[in-house]
Amino acid sequence: MTGPLERVRDGMAAAAAGWLASLTPEQRAKARYPFPADEERTTWYYTPTERGGLPLAEMGPVSQRLAHRLVASGLSEGGYNTAATVMGLENVLDAKEGWRRGYDGRTVPHRGRDPQLYFVSVFGDPGAGAWGSRPRWGTVRPS
């Protein structure tokens, strides 16, 4: 019999594996780290800055959807709704900041406040031993 924790664990592993499978080899190399990779895995910023992992902006629509599925798999419905709302508010913040904020560390053309500059990483092999994921949803840090 599978309990609620096992269902969440298995659902997160399936979501992570599905997302990784949707990526090109180049994207996967950017998104995947060995486990534990503590220095990368535990780095966190409150403000927009270049982050490790693969940004939504560099994914196709299917991979973006699967990235959202991965994030949602580890959150309650309300938690995911909050994360998705925060992403949508990037446009409002851009307007409030006068459309002039830069994005620290970003070397390609970009917007300072961009709902596509949320990053996703996977550490290890989902479902096989120790592994983890790290969505970088701006100020929302599900972990």
Side-chain angles (χ1 to χ4, degrees):
M1 185 167 177
T2 304
L5 292 178
E6 290 82 10
R7 284 193 295 276
V8 169
R9 179 197 64 208
D10 295 346
M12 290 179 75
W19 175 68
L20 286 170
S22 77
L23 303 176
T24 66
E26 294 80 18
Q27 290 172 319
R28 202 172 304 115
K30 193 170 184 178
R32 195 168 199 178
Y33 294 87
F35 188 87
D38 286 331
E39 186 173 338
E40 179 62 32
R41 191 172 49 86
T42 60
T43 299
W44 187 77
Y45 298 94
Y46 181 76
T47 57
T49 189
E50 187 70 7
R51 305 165 192 278
L54 186 66
L56 293 170
E58 295 178 19
M59 298 177 208
V62 171
S63 295
Q64 288 178 5
R65 184 180 212 183
L66 292 169
H68 279 271
R69 178 179 167 222
L70 172 57
V71 172
S73 73
L75 299 173
S76 66
E77 181 180 348
Y80 176 72
N81 290 345
T82 298
T85 299
V86 167
M87 290 177 68
L89 289 173
E90 292 293 346
N91 295 312
V92 173
L93 288 171
D94 204 12
K96 187 149 182 81
E97 294 171 347
W99 313 101
R100 64 181 182 274
R101 179 175 178 77
Y103 198 95
D104 296 342
R106 193 88 178 140
T107 58
V108 296
H110 64 279
R111 296 171 41 188
R113 294 287 188 174
D114 189 341
Q116 295 291 310
L117 288 180
Y118 284 75
F119 294 70
V120 183
S121 305
V122 170
F123 299 85
D125 186 15
W131 74 280
S133 67
R134 183 192 59 199
R136 293 291 181 103
W137 284 160
T139 59
V140 177
R141 183 181 184 212
S143 59

